[in-house]
Amino acid sequence: MCSEMATPVEPPNGFRPMGKHYYTMWHTLFEIDTKYVPIKGIGRGAYGVVCSSINRETNERVAIKKINNVFGNRVDALRTLRELMLLRCIKHENVIALKDVMMPSNWMGFKDVYLVYELMDSDLHQIIKSPQPLSNDHCKYFVFQLLRGLKYLHSANILHRDLKPGNLLVNADCQLKICDFGLARTSRDNGQFMTEYVVTRWYRAPELLLSCDNYGTSIDIWSVGCILAEILGRKPIFPGTDSLSQLRLIISVLGSQPEADLKFIDNAKARAYVKSLNCPGSVNFSSLYPHADTLAIDLLERMLVFDPTKRISVTEALSHPYIASLYDPSCNPPAQYKINVDIDETIGEPVIREMMLREMLYYHPEAAYASAVY
């Protein structure tokens, strides 16, 4: 994607709110705090546009994400709110840091949200599809950091639920940070979770493809296994076109599953479908990835296990011989408290707006006195 330099413009209605200035990138208007000087656009999608910027007060390079018309889609509004709530509480070097959420000039009628993150150079998807060689040390270090950040999230009672190469930001020094928490959920004590699930299919665990009601931290481990395989092979291991083809691809590699390993499937029809996928032998991962470290293959085999109850845990994975030499548990303490990001999804726009303003005021306590929500 070609970048586009930020161009300063006059306010669209001729009125310039105090402390704001205006830029355009990719035909998108940015109304941002004057302490930020945009440089260029670095990404865009359905959510809006991301630009690199300099914080003039700290001289720090940051990324500003503008989420367009946040209340135009209820799901997007809830995703944005959930990300704000979670990243305010999460502080870990392998999780992206949310530096600021800009206060809107119109508190009661704002439509756009501006999130300020630490700036990263690329993402793992771009690196995997590039011609850049990836050594065994690269692979080991990426997986180690991913597991390290994931262990912290799980200790905070958070399931990411959408791990994929595009959600793993990477710097030139190979530092990796997990991002995009719009689908994250609290791991509930009773094992019940929301049925809504729109994670990218290629990295989706079997228990989610089979619409199982109960799932846990092992769904994230399956995604890590898919990412590890993609680093080793430079292409997705299970690129299904729909849920059924995804399951067929998985069984074609892992082989038909014994009856005992299908007990987790609570739907009789789903269990019968998996049993009908007759593939007597499994594919040896070392034949798929003949140049991979044998320890990497062993870790992959322990992650891509069909039965979630038999999948390796994140703590066990960090102690696996492939990456154990990189891991010091004393340098990666668990979260100090459990985080709850479950939101009543029936709440209306006024409540979502108020909750977003509360999150924004966390970064702007000086504005709290003027807020009608405090």
Side-chain angles (χ1 to χ4, degrees), residues 161-165 183 197-210 219 222-223 226 230 236-250 304:
R161 305 201 323 159
D162 196 19
L163 292 174
K164 57 185 178 181
L183 291 181
Y197 204 85
V198 291
V199 64
T200 309
R201 184 180 301 108
W202 296 350
Y203 308 92
R204 199 180 302 184
E207 56 268 35
L208 298 172
L209 293 165
L210 293 160
I219 63 167
W222 176 274
S223 300
C226 293
E230 194 162 333
I237 183 172
F238 303 126
T241 55
D242 56 50
S243 293
L244 295 183
S245 75
Q246 188 74 23
L247 280 167
R248 287 194 295 270
L249 280 173
I250 291 170
L304 295 182

Side-chain angles (χ1 to χ4, degrees), residues 1 42 63 70 92 156 184 186-187 203 210 225 288 296 310 327 331 339 348 368:
M1 179 187 296
I42 55 175
V70 69
H92 191 273
T186 301
S187 176
Y203 308 92
L210 293 160
L288 287 179
K310 297 183 178 180
Y327 183 57
C331 295
I339 298 172

Side-chain angles (χ1 to χ4, degrees), residues 31-209:
E31 178 193 79
I32 60 175
D33 296 350
T34 52
K35 73 177 182 179
Y36 297 111
V37 180
I39 302 170
K40 63 182 179 180
I42 55 175
R44 54 181 168 177
Y47 55 82
V49 174
V50 181
C51 73
S52 60
S53 183
I54 294 286
N55 182 335
R56 285 195 288 204
E57 295 179 355
T58 63
N59 209 33
E60 182 183 22
R61 297 165 68 240
V62 296
I64 299 176
K65 178 164 74 172
K66 176 185 180 180
I67 301 175
N68 293 305
N69 192 21
V70 69
F71 301 108
N73 181 294
R74 180 184 187 77
V75 173
D76 289 345
L78 289 169
R79 283 188 62 159
T80 301
L81 176 58
R82 192 171 284 113
E83 173 131 341
L84 294 180
M85 293 171 64
L86 192 145
L87 288 181
R88 172 168 55 83
C89 302
I90 290 289
K91 302 290 183 243
H92 191 273
E93 61 188 42
N94 296 122
V95 177
I96 196 70
L98 182 60
K99 300 283 190 177
D100 188 9
V101 186
M102 295 185 211
M103 293 298 301
S105 54
N106 178 359
W107 289 20
M108 302 308 295
F110 71 91
K111 294 182 178 180
D112 307 322
V113 175
Y114 295 87
L115 309 178
V116 183
Y117 300 90
E118 56 186 320
L119 181 65
M120 302 291 284
D121 294 320
S122 187
D123 62 56
L124 194 58
H125 172 71
Q126 297 296 328
I127 291 171
I128 289 173
K129 75 175 190 178
S130 77
Q132 174 187 344
L134 291 176
S135 68
N136 184 49
D137 285 342
H138 281 117
C139 180
K140 185 184 301 187
Y141 193 46
F142 286 146
V143 174
F144 159 66
Q145 292 178 90
L146 172 52
L147 288 168
R148 192 170 176 269
L150 194 58
K151 180 174 171 36
Y152 181 87
L153 292 172
H154 287 176
S155 75
N157 216 32
I158 295 297
L159 307 181
H160 187 282
R161 305 201 323 159
D162 196 19
L163 292 174
K164 57 185 178 181
N167 284 344
L168 304 175
L169 303 181
V170 180
N171 267 343
D173 62 358
C174 295
Q175 185 180 29
L176 178 146
K177 295 178 185 282
I178 302 168
C179 73
D180 197 344
F181 290 86
L183 291 181
R185 291 291 187 279
T186 301
S187 176
R188 300 184 183 174
D189 291 337
N190 63 6
Q192 297 297 313
F193 297 84
M194 299 175 189
T195 54
E196 168 272 323
Y197 204 85
V198 291
V199 64
T200 309
R201 184 180 301 108
W202 296 350
Y203 308 92
R204 199 180 302 184
E207 56 268 35
L208 298 172
L209 293 165

